[in-house]
Amino acid sequence: MKNLTLLSLLVSAILLPSGLQAKKEKEPVEKTNMAVYLLQQLNEREQEAYERYESAVSDQDVDQVRRELQSILDGYQKLVADSPNYAPVYVSYGLMLNRTGNREESYAMMLKADELDPMVPVVKNQLGNYMAEEGKYTEAYGFYMLARDMNPDEPLYHHQLGEVLVAYRDYFLKDGLFAPEEIDDQIIKHFRAATRRAPQSPEHKLRYAQAYFDVENPNWETALGVWQELYKMAGSEYEQQVVRLYTARVRFELGHHTAARKLLKQIDHPSLEESKNKLLDEINAEYPE
């Protein structure tokens, strides 16, 4: 059940979206205001439930959270029935359904939300996720592009564009939608855009740095600079060693075999031993000592 929290970072993005209002003028203002209030209560309960789940230490604690989550799902379902033209409740309900593993139901809620208000970027992103998981990569790319265009300051949407291009790179090329150099440029561009919008995020910086290994003809000099920047953001000794390993690979690609060997000598974590030795064998094969 731990996968319930995978998309919890999106909760804050859907709390009472400012641009979403009931579409029908005949719907009473009081009813809309009540829907806003009830949705906020459900959002807050959901967030609290996920926080309790993260700190749960016993089966009893987990069961209590499960019951609370089911109660919240029931609350969303009732609110949808009571306020069928209020788009934000479909967004919140759809996100929670997705977190709890109900993909098809989540997709239906997002489609309805998109029908009521087609200008909600988180909805476009979720529809893109669904399409990507279904293998419909061109549709996924289109939805991610719409999400990015609606909110270009959100790093996640740039990140998603990079991911779908990496995951389906061969298919995009086979379909003639991109030339090889063009798609690689786009991959780097999207991940770079994500990290520029979240410069303090090591996760976005790491994915940007790794992207140079996802393309055919990377600019290794630029990649080296990115990995060196990432080293400054590494927290634990293990994270530092991971960055050293990747940096050693970049150094090797640049022909800096001496520097690569020095970096590898600084790596002693057991989980990195196999990768370290494999890279060292490659270096020794090309540059015998």
Side-chain angles (χ1 to χ4, degrees), residues 127-139:
L127 291 173
N129 289 344
Y130 182 86
M131 292 299 175
E133 291 165 3
E134 292 293 303
K136 298 178 180 180
Y137 49 94
T138 56
E139 291 91 337

Side-chain angles (χ1 to χ4, degrees), residues 102-135:
N102 300 292
R103 290 181 63 253
E104 297 299 329
E105 295 90 337
S106 172
Y107 177 59
M109 291 299 108
M110 290 301 173
L111 283 178
K112 183 61 178 179
D114 198 46
E115 175 187 330
L116 290 170
D117 192 326
M119 298 302 294
V120 185
V122 69
V123 172
K124 303 298 187 187
N125 181 68
Q126 288 301 113
L127 291 173
N129 289 344
Y130 182 86
M131 292 299 175
E133 291 165 3
E134 292 293 303

Side-chain angles (χ1 to χ4, degrees), residues 12 34 40 62 65 76 83 104 134 149 160 181 198 215 247 279:
S12 61
M34 180 57 67
Q40 184 176 16
V62 172
V65 175
Y76 281 132
S83 302
E104 297 299 329
E134 292 293 303
D149 290 346
Q160 299 286 61
E181 290 185 3
V215 299
T247 306
L279 177 56

Side-chain angles (χ1 to χ4, degrees), residues 20-203:
L20 304 181
Q21 297 296 332
K23 298 299 183 181
K24 294 186 177 180
E25 294 182 1
K26 66 180 181 180
E27 187 169 0
V29 174
E30 293 80 3
K31 186 174 182 180
T32 300
N33 290 340
M34 180 57 67
V36 172
Y37 172 77
L38 292 174
L39 180 58
Q40 184 176 16
Q41 297 301 305
L42 288 168
N43 288 158
E44 291 174 356
R45 285 176 59 194
E46 184 183 356
Q47 183 62 32
E48 290 171 2
Y50 288 129
E51 291 172 358
R52 285 170 51 200
Y53 180 76
E54 286 297 317
S55 61
V57 295
S58 68
D59 291 341
Q60 183 179 4
D61 293 336
V62 172
D63 287 341
Q64 288 178 347
V65 175
R66 284 175 175 166
R67 288 193 293 272
E68 172 67 1
L69 289 172
Q70 184 58 56
S71 174
I72 295 166
L73 282 169
D74 293 342
Y76 281 132
Q77 187 174 31
K78 184 178 186 303
L79 188 53
V80 163
D82 292 342
S83 302
N85 297 308
Y86 185 50
V89 67
Y90 290 94
V91 180
S92 293
Y93 190 23
L95 285 172
M96 188 174 184
L97 285 168
N98 188 69
R99 294 186 190 102
T100 53
N102 300 292
R103 290 181 63 253
E104 297 299 329
E105 295 90 337
S106 172
Y107 177 59
M109 291 299 108
M110 290 301 173
L111 283 178
K112 183 61 178 179
D114 198 46
E115 175 187 330
L116 290 170
D117 192 326
M119 298 302 294
V120 185
V122 69
V123 172
K124 303 298 187 187
N125 181 68
Q126 288 301 113
L127 291 173
N129 289 344
Y130 182 86
M131 292 299 175
E133 291 165 3
E134 292 293 303
K136 298 178 180 180
Y137 49 94
T138 56
E139 291 91 337
Y141 185 74
F143 278 121
Y144 290 146
M145 286 287 285
L146 288 170
R148 191 278 311 272
D149 290 346
M150 290 177 185
N151 186 3
D153 292 330
E154 172 53 56
L156 175 64
Y157 304 146
H158 296 273
H159 178 98
Q160 299 286 61
L161 284 165
E163 290 291 8
V164 76
L165 289 178
V166 170
Y168 292 100
R169 183 180 184 278
D170 291 344
Y171 294 92
F172 281 111
L173 292 176
K174 182 179 179 181
D175 292 344
L177 299 175
F178 293 94
E181 290 185 3
E182 181 186 9
I183 196 170
D184 288 348
D185 286 345
Q186 288 297 311
I187 288 170
I188 297 298
K189 172 186 172 182
H190 291 311
F191 285 123
R192 182 173 61 239
T195 196
R196 285 180 175 175
R197 284 158 177 78
Q200 302 307 313
S201 168
E203 292 79 13

Side-chain angles (χ1 to χ4, degrees), residues 239-255:
E239 291 173 349
Q240 292 175 359
Q241 291 197 24
V242 170
V243 175
R244 288 189 195 114
L245 180 60
Y246 274 103
T247 306
R249 163 61 70 178
V250 175
R251 287 288 194 183
F252 170 56
E253 296 292 346
L254 285 168

